[in-house]
Amino acid sequence: MTPALPSLSDVLAAAARIAPYAHRTPVLRSRSLDELAGATLHFKCENLQRVGAFKFRGACNAVFALDAATAARGVVTHSSGNHGAALALAAKVRGIPAHVVVPEGAVASKLAAIEAYGAVIHRCAPTIAAREATAARVQADTGATLVHPYTDPFVIAGQGTATLELLAEAGPLEALVTPVGGGGLISGSAIAAHGLRPGLAVFGAEPEGAADAFESLRRGQRVTDIVPDTICDGLRGTVGEENLAILRAEAVRVLLVSDAETLAAMRLVWSRLKQVIEPSCATALAAVLRYPEHFAGKRVGLILSGGNVDLDALPW
């Protein structure tokens, strides 16, 4: 059985499990962005993953890890978008039911994706408590397995597979940066990175308006009372308790960035790399540009986490 806190072996098992279904996304370079950052940047383009986000890795691993009898009863989750779409697609690929609890105010394009993949949508109030309560009710009514967006150990291990691929293609890196929301991506990334390169510095990029992971590490206890105020809709979730434990164990540092810096970084990726990414994703480059003391002169990996941007909602 997979332990509560996954290890490198779990990430390696996830890589083998999802290989027939997930894309091996490209790693891109840009001389002009290297010059801006004063570093050698390697961008892992998970915006080109199935469903347009890294989330498919974790959802796929969780779905295909289920035994046949359990899988037949379906899966359920709560999600503002990318994880819900990823779980819906993974369930569709395996041929099992999927239920997704979606809070009011979810991004329209992400909601449309969940529906397109055939999941049953259950709406709820826009609070974590409402999401969890509704998911628990659906689980009780259907017998479906809960696949939490970021604390599920199979999800965490699956997210770490992007870093395995990045290190295999880019070679030795000195720093790795990913966005931080609930903590699934940064947790899996840190486990994979340190499992292969113990000395690699791992950083999470978090919006100033949703700084719960930063404050949790600073205060030494999980902070859950921050009301998020950021354009990064994918990073508004509260960091999970299990994820926070991994951040501590792996000595991950969280760097804060403003929405203005994030939007500027997003424009740079669109114009220099010619990649469509969403604001949440751009926090990684924003952090590299804001904190040169951590990255200047180094080989840096950045995970571009997703490309499901709501164009009509952007303030430019």
Side-chain angles (χ1 to χ4, degrees), residues 18-315:
I18 72 174
Y21 314 106
H23 294 327
R24 188 179 182 91
T25 54
V27 177
L28 299 184
R29 299 286 318 285
S30 166
R31 287 191 180 93
S32 63
L33 291 179
D34 284 357
E35 290 175 2
L36 274 177
T40 304
L41 308 182
H42 300 261
F43 296 89
K44 178 64 170 170
C45 294
E46 286 297 290
N47 57 305
L48 301 178
Q49 185 54 260
R50 297 183 74 173
V51 310
F54 74 94
K55 294 280 192 177
F56 183 70
R57 294 176 180 273
C60 185
N61 189 45
V63 164
F64 281 89
L66 296 173
D67 63 71
T70 303
R73 295 192 293 272
V75 288
V76 59
T77 194
H78 55 82
S79 168
S80 61
N82 284 340
H83 175 70
L87 190 68
L89 177 57
K92 181 179 180 180
V93 171
R94 187 161 183 186
I96 64 174
H99 302 267
V100 180
V101 175
V102 177
E104 297 169 5
V107 174
S109 60
K110 295 181 179 180
L111 185 60
I114 295 171
E115 291 178 321
Y117 293 128
V120 178
I121 291 180
H122 306 263
R123 297 180 184 272
C124 70
T127 66
I128 294 295
R131 286 164 58 149
E132 292 177 345
T134 305
R137 176 179 56 78
V138 173
Q139 184 180 15
D141 290 344
T142 63
T145 297
L146 177 66
V147 180
H148 193 278
Y150 43 85
T151 64
D152 186 294
F154 288 100
V155 168
I156 293 170
Q159 316 307 28
T161 61
T163 293
L164 292 183
E165 294 175 10
L166 173 59
L167 291 172
E169 183 163 343
L173 297 176
E174 296 166 273
L176 175 69
V177 192
T178 88
V180 179
L185 177 60
I186 187 66
S187 298
S189 299
I191 291 167
H194 289 153
L196 296 176
R197 291 187 59 81
L200 194 155
V202 179
F203 297 89
E206 188 172 47
E208 291 177 341
D212 55 283
F214 177 88
E215 286 296 329
S216 295
L217 289 174
R218 186 180 71 84
R219 300 183 197 179
Q221 62 183 27
R222 185 167 174 251
V223 175
T224 60
D225 59 354
I226 290 176
V227 178
D229 180 15
T230 174
I231 195 171
C232 302
D233 64 278
L235 305 182
R236 293 172 186 159
T238 302
V239 67
E241 188 171 346
E242 296 86 347
N243 310 95
L244 184 61
I246 294 172
L247 297 189
R248 289 186 181 124
E250 300 293 340
V252 172
R253 296 187 61 179
V254 174
L255 306 176
L256 298 182
V257 293
S258 69
D259 277 0
E261 290 166 334
T262 296
L263 287 173
M266 185 172 76
R267 290 181 68 115
L268 283 171
V269 171
W270 283 38
S271 63
R272 307 294 176 87
L273 284 182
K274 312 304 179 188
Q275 294 297 307
V276 175
I277 64 169
E278 59 191 277
S280 299
C281 172
T283 56
L285 178 58
V288 170
L289 296 176
R290 177 170 173 174
Y291 300 94
E293 64 271 23
H294 296 308
F295 306 106
K298 295 182 178 178
R299 290 172 50 83
V300 183
L302 300 87
I303 296 185
L304 297 181
S305 55
N308 295 313
V309 64
D310 186 0
L311 295 174
D312 293 333
L314 293 178

